[in-house]
């Protein structure tokens, strides 16, 4: 559900301010009834008529992308570098749900459903994300425990929901760690490891809520099913 003036503006019919003025002038109806109240919220299924013409609401699109490394999570880049949006063939304006660093690969959602985006990125909703971090050192398991007890990054204490050493290669001196977090601060995983004295050499997001990367290779994407979108909405408390 979104405010009527926002839906009208999002359809490209006019600006939000103009939409407010049209509503106030009684030039808008919802499901056959004239609406002059600016607080009214409508859903994508409501039929909206503006100045006698049926409004075509922009269809929502939901993409699950396997972001490769070396691509920026943005809709455009002032240096002309490739962005995640350049990887998607669509005629809609899609926005990433949160962000992954330039050198991070993995699961990234993109959509034009701003409502869902705002809900999913809000830490209150505690959407779990699973990361795989590669550390070019042998990691001390007792330090890993600290990530669950909580470490301070940028003056705020953050905890991992789960941490597990997946593999330790004594010869190559590398460790693969799986880390589950539910908030999404800037460079959070890298900063959490930095807080216990390690540098993340490689990072991949394997899961976002119940969604994973199965069937995709880096650079590929798929549309979410209606059921998956509904399930994402249902996760919001
Ligand atoms: N944490 C990071 O440090 N980087 C990412 O890209 C995602 C989470």
């Amino acid at each position: 559900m979104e405010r009527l003036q926002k839906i009208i503006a999002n359809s490209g019919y006019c600006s939000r301010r103009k939409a407010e003025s049209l509503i106030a002038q009684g030039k808008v109806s919802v499901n056959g009834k004239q609406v002059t109240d600016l607080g009214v919220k409508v859903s994508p299924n409501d039929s909206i008529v503006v100045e006698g013409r049926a409004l075509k609401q922009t269809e929502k699109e939901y993409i699950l992308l396997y972001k490769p490394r070396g691509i920026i999570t943005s809709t455009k880049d002032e240096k002309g570098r490739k962005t995640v949006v350049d990887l998607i063939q669509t005629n809609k304006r899609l926005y990433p749900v949160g962000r992954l660093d330039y050198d991070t690969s993995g699961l990234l959602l993109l959509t034009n459903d701003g409502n869902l985006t705002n809900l999913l990125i809000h830490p209150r909703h505690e959407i779990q994300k699973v990361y795989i971090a590669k550390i070019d050192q042998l990691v001390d398991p007792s330090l890993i425990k600290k990530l669950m007890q909580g470490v301070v990054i940028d003056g705020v204490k953050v905890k991992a929901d789960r941490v597990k050493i997946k593999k330790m290669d004594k010869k190559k001196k590398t460790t693969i760690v799986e880390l589950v977090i539910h908030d999404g601060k800037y460079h959070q995983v890298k900063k959490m490891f930095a807080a216990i004295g390690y540098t993340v050499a490689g990072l991949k997001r394997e899961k976002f809520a119940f969604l994973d990367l199965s069937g995709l290779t880096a650079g590929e994407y798929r549309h979410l099913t209606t059921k998956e979108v509904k399930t994402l909405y249902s996760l919001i408390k």
Side-chain angles (χ1 to χ4, degrees):
M1 298 287 276
E2 276 183 311
R3 281 180 190 269
L4 182 54
Q5 58 268 40
K6 191 171 172 196
I7 297 260
I8 297 172
N10 284 352
S11 78
Y13 185 86
C14 60
S15 69
R16 197 184 300 200
R17 188 165 300 174
K18 172 84 178 161
E20 286 173 354
S21 144
L22 291 172
I23 295 167
Q25 289 169 52
K27 292 185 175 165
V28 178
S29 68
V30 177
N31 302 328
K33 265 199 205 149
Q34 190 187 53
V35 171
T36 50
D37 177 358
L38 293 179
V40 164
K41 287 193 171 175
V42 288
S43 86
N45 301 324
D46 289 318
S47 103
I48 301 164
V49 175
V50 184
E51 296 183 302
R53 273 192 281 161
L55 191 80
K56 231 179 127 210
Q57 291 199 44
T58 318
E59 242 178 77
K60 299 282 186 255
E61 190 165 18
Y62 304 88
I63 301 282
L64 187 164
L65 169 71
Y66 185 160
K67 176 195 174 295
R69 256 182 280 157
I71 302 271
I72 58 165
T73 305
S74 171
T75 49
K76 55 174 181 279
D77 180 51
E78 70 281 1
K79 291 184 199 148
R81 288 174 300 179
K82 218 173 184 186
T83 74
V84 286
V85 169
D86 295 330
L87 299 175
I88 318 284
Q89 283 193 347
T90 180
N91 54 6
K92 304 200 171 61
R93 264 168 184 262
L94 301 183
Y95 297 89
V97 177
R99 70 184 298 283
L100 290 178
D101 295 336
Y102 182 74
D103 58 354
T104 299
S105 64
L107 199 161
L108 183 71
L109 296 179
L110 293 108
T111 181
N112 54 353
D113 183 344
N115 188 29
L116 183 63
T117 300
N118 290 335
L119 293 169
L120 289 177
I121 62 176
H122 199 294
R124 175 160 55 98
H125 299 120
E126 302 197 352
I127 303 293
Q128 284 196 327
K129 279 120 337 194
V130 180
Y131 290 91
I132 300 291
K134 183 173 175 251
I135 316 288
D136 284 342
Q137 261 177 285
L138 293 178
V139 167
D140 176 351
S142 68
L143 283 177
I144 283 290
K145 276 198 202 125
K146 276 200 187 168
L147 296 177
M148 288 195 60
Q149 287 152 4
V151 289
V152 176
I153 61 166
D154 301 329
V156 183
K157 191 169 176 178
V158 288
K159 287 182 191 177
D161 296 333
R162 227 171 52 228
V163 194
K164 194 168 145 196
I165 293 183
K166 297 279 278 184
K167 200 170 155 193
M168 210 183 282
D169 190 324
K170 296 216 165 100
K171 258 196 209 149
K172 289 188 193 155
K173 293 210 166 46
T174 57
T175 314
I176 306 289
V177 183
E178 182 185 87
L179 182 99
V180 184
I181 56 172
H182 62 257
D183 26 28
K185 301 197 188 313
Y186 191 55
H187 297 324
Q188 181 161 340
V189 176
K190 291 174 185 167
K191 285 179 178 170
M192 286 176 81
F193 276 99
I196 57 163
Y198 296 106
T199 303
V200 172
L203 189 62
K204 177 181 176 189
R205 179 153 73 190
E206 286 211 323
K207 283 187 88 177
F208 183 98
F210 58 92
L211 298 164
D212 63 29
L213 292 165
S214 24
L216 300 176
T217 57
E220 290 183 337
Y221 64 90
R222 68 171 179 88
H223 286 84
L224 294 187
T225 63
T226 311
K227 193 166 166 223
E228 286 170 330
V229 175
K230 272 197 188 145
T231 310
L232 281 176
Y233 266 108
S234 76
L235 297 177
I236 286 139
K237 294 171 197 155

